[in-house]
Amino acid sequence: MLRRTVTCGELRDQHIGQTVVLNGWVNSYRDHGNLIFIDLRDRFGLTQLVFDPDNGVSQAMMDAADKLRNEDVIAVKGLVRTRVGGPNPKLATGTVEVVVQELEVLSKTANPPFLPDDLGKLPNEEIRLKHRYVDLRRPRMQHILGLRHRVMQSTRRYFDENGFLEVETPILYKSTPEGAREFLVPNRHVPGSWYALPQSPQLFKQILMVSGCDRYMQICRCFRDEDPRADRQAEFSQIDLEMSFVRREHVMEMMEGFARRLWKDVLGLDVPKFQVMGYRDAMETYGIDRPDTRYDLKIVDVSELAAKTDFGVFKTALEKGKDRPRFNSKKGVVKAIRVPGGGEKLTRKITDGYTEFVKGFGAGGVAVSKVIAGPDGQPMFEPGVAKFLAPARQEWLGALGLKVGDTVLFVADAYAIATKAIGELRQKVARDMDMVPKPGVEGGPWNFLWVVDFPMFERNKETGKWVAMHHPFTSPRDDQMQAFLDADPEDEVTIESIVSAGYDMVLNGSEIAGGSVRIHNQDVQSKVFKLLGLTPEQAKEKFSFLLEALSFGAPPHAGIAFGLDRLIMHLVGTDNIRDVIAFPKTQIGQDLMTGAPGFVTEAQLKDLYVKNVVPEAPAKS
């Protein structure tokens, strides 16, 4: 085989007069009668080849070139010259071309299901995933793979410079089913026993801190048997980190430095210092713990003003948990969003749809009013809800900063429901108003922030039991420790008010990293398990190795994990996680290229002491 001496994206004017060898795929073929032009492609770029009988090309080689088609794999040897007919400004190699002297056809292609270019309309995703080996040849996909590589290299350099050890942790793991649903793996050596694939290396990295590792990092694979969605896959990658002898601010400083380095290394951009926002401020102002601050729709609690009205919807909501403290999940509230210019863009059809939208989050509906000019030219509410707002018109206008042309949206319910519903509504309104910047290739803006001071516990909606908002190994914030230790499992108000030492890094409304200060005291960890409803026996059965390790001199430690795939999504400007994974799975967890998951034989199941309870396996398509 003619072994390449340069890549297809490398040749420039300084190579003119040199004899080179290139290998690659035929990207396009043009027959100009006595000349044949081929654009040869590899992952580095394109180079134009010329087959010219007047430059010593034999008739046999011309005949071979004439039979070449898109996606054939070839090797050529030839002379670099100035491109005849003038440069092609669309190509990095556009000032030169290679006059072919030797041709070797390395592989002929069957008729490809589609051509791997980014110029025309792409086939549907199902076809691209089934033939992923063709789809990955597209320049866009090669760019993404290259950028992902650069991110991982930059990651390793940064943390190596800061004293982290890269340590691999097990993939076959003990089942701890308090989090997301796990993938289980049977063990044939101990009949009836099972491994689980790790949802994260959380416990192992804490053990590494107890072991004196001091600073750990790993780019690892994690698994959660959950329904995939646009920004989630059942199998994913994360950058996993842990540090000893630190507090929250030390971890945040280190990880902010990493994000800023990454954006500099990969995009050449200087990211300013991150904003820090408390969880409660995020929920009150944006209705979500990962706020998108690129647009300025803010939520206002108007409960006090709403209590003065005779509007039945407001009064009914405010009766809920009226004796509970502020921010308690069951306390009734009324929340509002001012939408500047919404009077023109948000039609009745659109706003009527908002009621059905918030019902999906448990709320009863949305009250809507538009601000119009009154007879005196001053702002007033249009008929409808206006009759309840009119008596205190100036107070409402001032509280919400309303102007003529605005629309105001109200949601009234228990705090947890109203906050969730209006937070989701805020995002939908922003899309309807075209306020959300569209993802662009390596685009921005980049609105980074830290969200801190999360509640330590929340109620599981299905079971009603307490669950850890981050995970059960997160420590209370220092000033909350005594309240936590004194908390009675039946004291719902106190437990809900305990603040953890957790922190999330948020970018443009997406959580890209989450972490916390860990519990390094055995008694504190046992108390968490107790509040989560685990008996001492259950805690010992599931976490005996951790509890034992904490009793042998555990240093204060804290950590974080970045979603690698989500990082890449932001860096390349896509909202589909499947674009940034080489071999992703579909929304129902299928690998269309390999046919996974697939059926196995009864003999295989027998070896594992597992029985198939499906009545009859579906016929293979």
Side-chain angles (χ1 to χ4, degrees):
M1 186 184 80
L2 292 170
R3 186 175 180 183
R4 71 179 176 192
T5 58
V6 293
T7 69
C8 294
E10 192 173 343
L11 295 177
R12 301 291 189 273
D13 288 344
Q14 62 263 33
H15 296 96
I16 292 172
Q18 296 182 16
T19 298
V20 297
V21 176
L22 298 102
N23 300 162
W25 285 261
V26 174
N27 191 69
S28 64
Y29 169 96
R30 303 181 299 281
D31 187 346
H32 287 195
N34 63 325
L35 296 174
I36 293 174
F37 294 91
I38 283 175
D39 286 342
L40 191 66
R41 182 193 74 243
D42 61 15
R43 76 177 175 91
F44 303 98
L46 292 173
T47 295
Q48 177 169 283
L49 310 179
V50 183
F51 291 83
D52 183 0
D54 293 338
N55 279 273
V57 175
S58 67
Q59 187 59 46
M61 189 185 300
M62 291 295 292
D63 291 343
D66 187 51
K67 295 176 182 177
L68 294 175
R69 293 298 178 264
N70 288 17
E71 302 312 304
D72 286 344
V73 184
I74 64 174
V76 296
K77 183 177 182 179
L79 183 69
V80 183
R81 73 179 184 190
T82 300
R83 187 177 177 118
V84 176
N88 181 351
K90 295 181 180 180
L91 295 181
T93 60
T95 61
V96 298
E97 60 189 11
V98 174
V99 181
V100 177
Q101 298 167 334
E102 297 181 39
L103 166 67
E104 187 175 351
V105 179
L106 303 176
S107 177
K108 294 290 291 182
T109 182
N111 187 32
F114 57 92
L115 294 179
D117 62 53
D118 298 315
L119 302 177
K121 183 178 179 180
L122 290 173
N124 66 54
E125 189 178 47
E126 182 176 343
I127 293 175
R128 288 186 286 120
L129 291 180
K130 182 175 177 60
H131 302 280
R132 190 62 164 177
Y133 39 83
V134 176
D135 191 45
L136 287 176
R137 294 178 190 173
R138 288 193 291 124
R140 167 76 168 157
M141 297 305 297
Q142 290 290 320
H143 167 75
I144 290 173
L145 291 179
L147 185 141
R148 188 178 180 113
H149 166 78
R150 296 200 304 277
V151 167
M152 290 192 286
Q153 295 306 308
S154 177
T155 298
R156 288 190 163 100
R157 284 194 301 270
Y158 177 84
F159 289 111
D160 179 59
E161 291 168 9
N162 284 282
F164 286 74
L165 295 179
E166 184 166 2
V167 183
E168 295 170 293
T169 53
I171 292 294
L172 295 176
Y173 181 56
K174 180 181 175 66
S175 174
T176 55
E178 276 69 39
R181 186 183 292 112
E182 298 171 311
F183 286 99
L184 299 176
V185 181
N187 175 15
R188 68 182 177 85
H189 295 294
V190 183
S193 67
W194 300 77
Y195 299 106
L197 301 183
Q199 297 182 40
S200 84
Q202 179 63 42
L203 296 182
F204 284 107
K205 65 180 181 179
Q206 289 192 245
I207 295 294
L208 284 170
M209 297 302 100
V210 179
S211 305
C213 178
D214 194 82
R215 293 186 175 189
Y216 143 93
M217 72 83 60
Q218 182 182 190
I219 299 177
C220 55
R221 301 294 280 173
C222 301
F223 307 86
R224 294 179 186 174
D225 190 8
E226 299 179 316
D227 295 335
R229 61 189 189 197
D231 64 347
R232 176 187 292 167
Q233 286 266 295
E235 178 182 2
F236 59 97
S237 298
Q238 69 182 36
I239 303 168
D240 203 51
L241 304 142
E242 200 78 8
M243 303 170 69
S244 289
F245 306 110
V246 292
R247 301 310 293 160
R248 181 171 75 180
E249 58 271 21
H250 304 132
V251 180
M252 290 170 62
E253 181 182 8
M254 178 67 69
M255 301 312 157
E256 182 172 330
F258 164 61
R260 296 170 76 177
R261 165 75 76 85
L262 200 58
W263 256 249
K264 185 67 173 178
D265 285 355
V266 176
L267 300 183
L269 297 175
D270 292 310
V271 173
K273 185 171 178 59
F274 293 8
Q275 178 185 357
V276 179
M277 183 181 299
Y279 168 86
R280 191 59 61 196
D281 289 339
M283 297 302 290
E284 284 293 280
T285 307
Y286 301 101
I288 196 168
D289 59 6
R290 45 177 177 80
D292 190 339
T293 58
R294 290 175 296 173
Y295 48 90
D296 196 33
L297 286 179
K298 292 184 178 177
I299 298 166
V300 179
D301 189 321
V302 292
S303 300
E304 289 187 15
L305 198 50
K308 299 176 183 179
T309 73
D310 292 324
F311 190 24
V313 172
F314 290 173
K315 284 188 170 296
T316 300
L318 293 173
E319 281 297 310
K320 297 180 180 180
K322 62 181 179 181
D323 297 326
R324 288 175 175 262
R326 191 183 180 200
F327 306 138
N328 183 271
S329 61
K330 296 181 180 178
K331 185 177 180 65
V333 294
V334 179
K335 300 202 167 192
I337 302 175
R338 172 206 170 209
V339 186
E344 180 180 350
K345 286 191 175 182
L346 297 182
T347 64
R348 178 68 179 271
K349 181 179 180 180
I350 292 174
T351 57
D352 283 350
Y354 290 161
T355 286
E356 288 304 311
F357 178 78
V358 300
K359 283 181 178 179
F361 304 100
V366 178
V368 183
S369 188
K370 294 184 178 182
V371 182
I372 59 177
D376 58 357
Q378 295 301 307
M380 63 174 285
F381 296 105
E382 70 173 4
V385 182
K387 64 183 178 181
F388 302 107
L389 307 180
R393 181 180 67 168
Q394 292 304 321
E395 288 185 80
W396 282 107
L397 294 173
L400 294 168
L402 295 169
K403 299 177 181 178
V404 173
D406 292 348
T407 294
V408 59
L409 308 171
F410 300 93
V411 175
D413 213 305
Y415 180 86
I417 293 173
T419 302
K420 172 70 174 175
I422 202 164
E424 296 292 339
L425 179 62
R426 171 184 178 267
Q427 297 177 83
K428 180 168 177 54
V429 170
R431 293 191 294 271
D432 291 342
M433 294 289 294
D434 295 322
M435 293 179 171
V436 185
K438 298 291 189 295
V441 178
E442 297 174 7
W446 308 109
N447 283 29
F448 285 92
L449 68 138
W450 285 106
V451 178
V452 299
D453 297 339
F454 289 82
M456 193 162 174
F457 302 101
E458 62 183 343
R459 287 284 191 188
N460 181 291
K461 292 180 182 177
E462 283 75 34
T463 66
K465 294 181 178 179
W466 291 114
V467 294
M469 184 170 277
H470 266 83
H471 54 56
F473 316 108
T474 295
S475 175
R477 201 174 64 189
D478 289 345
D479 62 346
Q480 301 281 303
M481 184 63 75
Q482 195 57 51
F484 163 76
L485 292 172
D486 293 342
D488 187 296
E490 302 303 318
D491 185 354
E492 178 179 310
V493 172
T494 298
I495 293 174
E496 194 176 66
S497 69
I498 296 170
V499 177
S500 78
Y503 38 84
D504 284 355
M505 186 184 291
V506 176
L507 171 59
N508 295 350
S510 173
E511 177 202 330
I512 59 172
S516 66
V517 176
R518 321 303 190 188
I519 296 168
H520 69 283
N521 179 286
Q522 186 187 51
D523 294 337
V524 175
Q525 186 64 73
S526 295
K527 180 64 180 285
V528 171
F529 291 150
K530 180 180 179 181
L531 292 176
L532 295 178
L534 293 178
T535 66
E537 292 74 24
Q538 289 172 324
K540 184 176 180 180
E541 177 187 353
K542 297 176 184 298
F543 302 109
S544 60
F545 65 97
L546 175 66
L547 292 171
E548 184 176 294
L550 294 179
S551 71
F552 285 100
H557 57 283
I560 196 168
F562 288 82
L564 176 62
D565 308 303
R566 286 188 186 175
L567 277 176
I568 308 299
M569 287 173 65
H570 282 286
L571 287 165
V572 302
T574 180
D575 55 8
N576 188 340
I577 197 170
R578 293 184 293 278
D579 288 344
V580 302
I581 297 173
F583 301 103
K585 294 178 175 60
T586 66
Q587 290 285 64
I588 59 172
Q590 288 184 305
D591 180 340
L592 297 179
M593 186 183 74
T594 66
F599 298 102
V600 296
T601 66
E602 289 297 326
Q604 289 173 288
L605 294 177
K606 187 175 180 180
D607 283 345
L608 298 170
Y609 303 94
V610 175
K611 186 175 182 180
N612 184 3
V613 297
V614 178
E616 185 176 347
K620 294 182 179 179
S621 57

